Amino acid sequence: GQLVQSGAEVKKPGESLKISCKGSGYMFSTNWIGWVRQMPGKGLEWMGIIYPGDSDTRYSPSFQGHVTMSADKSISTAYLQWTSLKASDTAMYFCAKVRQPSGAFDVWGQGTVITVSS
Amino acid sequence: DIQMTQSPSSLSASVGERVTITCQASQDISTYLNWYQHKPGQAPKLLIYDASILETGVPSRFSGRGSGTDFTFTISSLQPEDIATYYCQQYDNLFRGTFGQGTKLEI
């Protein structure tokens, strides 16, 4: 399997953004997809996961209400969306396929860098 | 929310040396514990899942053990290409996860 993410983004505070993660080479709709944040110089943070088959989502409490995960199984693509970006959203964002039941991320996208600056 | 305490935060070791990293969960997670290697400019790589199962293609010098709340990750003989940051990650019965703080490994 493979995951390919959309390209780097430079945005201003308050702007909205939606980044994508397209899967191939495996059954996209029946495998959970997760999102992981890495802020500059910091560690990995588990944001949440989505099941493309029915769009069931599980968010980390730290990210609930700040981002929205969605998926379109017809085009094997998952999305991560912000309605109003902040400078603190500046980070690298990875999508990754979840291996159940271990919850391990076994296939990773290449990452999308988001820079939020006025 | 389950918290993961990983130690040490950084570690300096020599080539050929045995290296051990620990991860402690704030509550029982059975064996829902995974280990990753992350090199700068790359995506993280899964090394160990279910606490002790080696991912396909990962060298056998990497190993993991533990269950419940206490887990260890070991590199039996450190190689230069093992320089990276290592993370543990738990996964609970509500399908939510948490990473440890990471261990930066240097030679």
Side-chain angles (χ1 to χ4, degrees):
Chain A
Q2 186 179 13
L3 295 170
V4 177
Q5 298 184 230
S6 49
E9 301 273 2
V10 179
K11 308 292 281 186
K12 290 182 169 23
E15 292 186 331
S16 63
L17 176 64
K18 193 173 189 178
I19 63 174
S20 66
C21 170
K22 183 173 177 61
S24 61
Y26 73 97
M27 287 294 295
F28 184 82
S29 61
T30 58
N31 286 270
W32 292 82
I33 286 276
W35 291 92
V36 175
R37 183 176 78 174
Q38 185 176 37
M39 299 175 73
K42 302 298 184 181
L44 303 177
E45 298 176 90
W46 196 97
M47 299 178 69
I49 60 173
I50 183 166
Y51 188 74
D54 61 5
S55 292
D56 186 9
T57 55
R58 310 296 168 94
Y59 289 93
S60 163
S62 300
F63 292 92
Q64 179 91 49
H66 297 287
V67 296
T68 301
M69 295 180 294
S70 60
D72 185 341
K73 62 184 179 181
S74 69
I75 55 171
S76 300
T77 302
Y79 302 96
L80 185 63
Q81 183 175 5
W82 293 260
T83 56
S84 181
L85 286 161
K86 304 174 183 176
S88 57
D89 294 318
T90 295
M92 170 78 87
Y93 293 85
F94 294 99
C95 65
K97 172 181 153 297
V98 179
R99 176 182 295 164
Q100 294 287 34
S102 65
F105 291 128
D106 61 353
V107 178
W108 291 73
Q110 82 276 21
T112 296
V113 176
I114 296 173
T115 303
V116 183
S117 175
S118 55
Chain B
D1 233 32
I2 299 175
Q3 305 303 315
M4 303 302 296
T5 303
Q6 184 176 341
S7 62
S9 57
S10 65
L11 179 56
S12 183
S14 302
V15 173
E17 192 172 334
R18 184 182 183 89
V19 169
T20 298
I21 298 168
T22 66
C23 220
Q24 185 171 60
S26 58
Q27 62 190 74
D28 190 333
I29 57 170
S30 184
T31 57
Y32 292 111
L33 193 284
N34 310 302
W35 291 95
Y36 301 86
Q37 177 190 68
H38 192 200
K39 296 181 179 181
Q42 298 182 19
K45 177 184 178 183
L46 177 65
L47 300 179
I48 304 280
Y49 64 98
D50 284 349
S52 63
I53 303 175
L54 195 66
E55 176 71 344
T56 302
V58 173
S60 59
R61 64 179 180 274
F62 297 99
S63 64
R65 61 182 298 168
S67 66
T69 61
D70 295 304
F71 302 85
T72 59
F73 170 83
T74 299
I75 306 173
S76 60
S77 178
L78 187 66
Q79 299 302 304
E81 61 267 30
D82 299 338
I83 297 311
T85 301
Y86 292 84
Y87 295 89
C88 62
Q89 175 241 326
Q90 69 81 25
Y91 191 64
D92 67 25
N93 57 4
L94 298 178
F95 289 23
R96 293 192 304 197
T98 316
F99 284 99
Q101 299 90 333
T103 296
K104 187 174 184 179
L105 182 53
E106 299 170 323
I107 289 184

